[in-house]
Amino acid sequence: MADRDWKNQTVVTEFIFLGFGDLPELKILLFLMFLVIYIATVTGNMLITALVVTDQHLHTPMYFFLGNLSCLETCYTSTILPRMLASLLTGDRAISFSGCITQLYFFGSLLSIECCLLGAMSYDRYLAICKPLHYSTLMNTRFCLYLAAGSWLNGCLATAIFVLFMSHLIFCGPNEIDHFYCDLIPLIKLSCSDTYLIKLLNFVLAFVFTLPPFLLTLTSYVCILTTILRIPSTTGRQKAFSTCSSHLIVVTIYYGTLMIVYVLPKRDTLNILNKVLSLCYTVLTPLVNPLIYSL
């Protein structure tokens, strides 16, 4: 819609989540299921964070990054699930414009930070297995702090700039978001103003925060697997692989579902599939992280 047209329209001040509203008979079951998931996720991740902080034996780079990841997962799931639980319980699926933008900011920044942290963790495992003699020198305390602080700071600042642009979009038409949280793509579809700049900025930020960490992770594990296969003893190979297998599982689940959701064609027939797959990286990954890393 052209600028001169939307100026005469009523500006949208709130949005309605469609979520899983087409399954009213399962509302109580979904509420109980997501409530248990939320409690288990927060409890598991907070226990890992507390354990890493309090136990002196766990003050190593691997557990330092794991503590950061667990803290992030607690914030990540708390950005989405409480609002979803409230909607399922009360039936109120409305969210204000400012509330939607705030949720989008926290979701986007935590998503970016997690990609960076997973990349840092894969690099840590690469140094531990492929460069064991130089590990303590290369992955020292200062470098770990730089990697973690850089991940948090860059994710928060970049998303803040993006959300600042998003907040200036005009919404004057339909206000129904076909999702269970304020996801970017369904939100952009509702805007009446020109979204070219937003889409371009989103592409650039997605490229910067997902591709380099993914390539770093992929390259690290190629080198790790090559090194492990060269170990002569079976016991040695199993011991080396056990130190990185948990991280590899988490990375596979996270990036796998994330890529499928954003690569799948945006058709109405695939909306349900997109929602289900979105649950994998917004709900399932934070839930299974403590279980996988504990094992």
Side-chain angles (χ1 to χ4, degrees):
M1 186 180 292
D3 291 349
R4 61 178 180 273
D5 295 327
W6 61 253
K7 286 179 180 177
N8 296 323
Q9 303 292 323
T10 302
V11 177
V12 171
T13 58
E14 68 175 18
F15 298 100
I16 306 295
F17 291 128
L18 296 183
F20 302 100
D22 51 347
L23 301 171
E25 66 279 1
L26 298 178
K27 185 167 67 173
I28 300 300
L29 179 62
L30 289 174
F31 171 78
L32 293 175
M33 181 181 71
F34 286 125
L35 178 62
V36 171
I37 289 175
Y38 180 61
I39 293 173
T41 300
V42 171
T43 302
N45 282 289
M46 288 184 68
L47 283 175
I48 287 184
T49 304
L51 188 62
V52 170
V53 171
T54 57
D55 193 337
Q56 294 291 330
H57 297 92
L58 300 182
H59 290 181
T60 62
M62 181 174 73
Y63 290 105
F64 171 74
F65 290 122
L66 178 57
N68 273 268
L69 184 64
S70 295
C71 179
L72 180 141
E73 298 288 24
T74 303
C75 301
Y76 192 52
T77 193
S78 297
T79 301
I80 295 173
L81 278 183
R83 184 65 189 81
M84 187 195 303
L85 289 171
S87 297
L88 290 171
L89 184 63
T90 64
D92 181 13
R93 293 181 289 170
I95 186 172
S96 65
F97 177 79
S98 59
C100 188
I101 292 296
T102 301
Q103 188 184 59
L104 180 65
Y105 168 73
F106 282 107
F107 171 74
S109 58
L110 293 171
L111 188 72
S112 304
I113 295 166
E114 182 158 5
C115 290
C116 295
L117 283 178
L118 289 175
M121 293 175 75
S122 66
Y123 182 65
D124 171 67
R125 292 300 83 207
Y126 160 75
L127 291 179
I129 294 175
C130 300
K131 307 285 184 182
L133 298 178
H134 304 284
Y135 177 71
S136 58
T137 303
L138 295 173
M139 191 58 71
N140 53 52
T141 303
R142 178 178 293 183
F143 187 56
C144 290
L145 290 173
Y146 284 159
L147 287 176
S151 299
W152 286 89
L153 187 61
N154 289 332
C156 291
L157 288 179
T159 309
I161 295 172
F162 178 78
V163 168
L164 183 63
F165 280 91
M166 276 293 298
S167 64
H168 288 87
L169 291 182
I170 301 297
F171 296 89
C172 57
N175 67 336
E176 294 181 337
I177 299 177
D178 193 12
H179 220 304
F180 54 86
Y181 66 96
C182 283
D183 192 21
L184 176 64
I185 295 175
L187 193 59
I188 285 180
K189 289 181 179 179
L190 299 179
S191 177
C192 304
S193 49
D194 184 12
T195 58
Y196 173 77
L197 182 60
I198 288 292
K199 290 178 179 177
L200 179 62
L201 184 58
N202 176 55
F203 175 79
V204 172
L205 291 178
F207 181 87
V208 170
F209 280 96
T210 57
L211 189 60
F214 176 73
L215 291 179
L216 174 62
T217 302
L218 186 63
T219 304
S220 296
Y221 276 103
V222 168
C223 296
I224 287 170
L225 292 174
T226 303
T227 302
I228 289 176
L229 292 175
R230 290 175 183 170
I231 298 175
S233 67
T234 304
T235 305
R237 287 196 297 268
Q238 291 176 346
K239 184 177 180 181
F241 186 71
S242 67
T243 64
C244 61
S245 57
S246 57
H247 180 255
L248 182 59
I249 293 171
V250 171
V251 166
T252 302
I253 296 173
Y254 183 75
Y255 277 113
T257 54
L258 193 64
M259 288 181 176
I260 292 173
V261 166
Y262 289 100
V263 169
L264 276 177
K266 301 301 179 284
R267 298 174 182 173
D268 293 338
T269 54
L270 296 176
N271 280 344
I272 296 297
L273 180 60
N274 273 325
K275 291 178 188 178
V276 172
L277 291 174
S278 296
L279 286 173
C280 290
Y281 65 85
T282 58
V283 177
L284 179 63
T285 302
L287 172 66
V288 301
N289 271 2
L291 299 176
I292 293 174
Y293 283 114
S294 296
L295 293 173

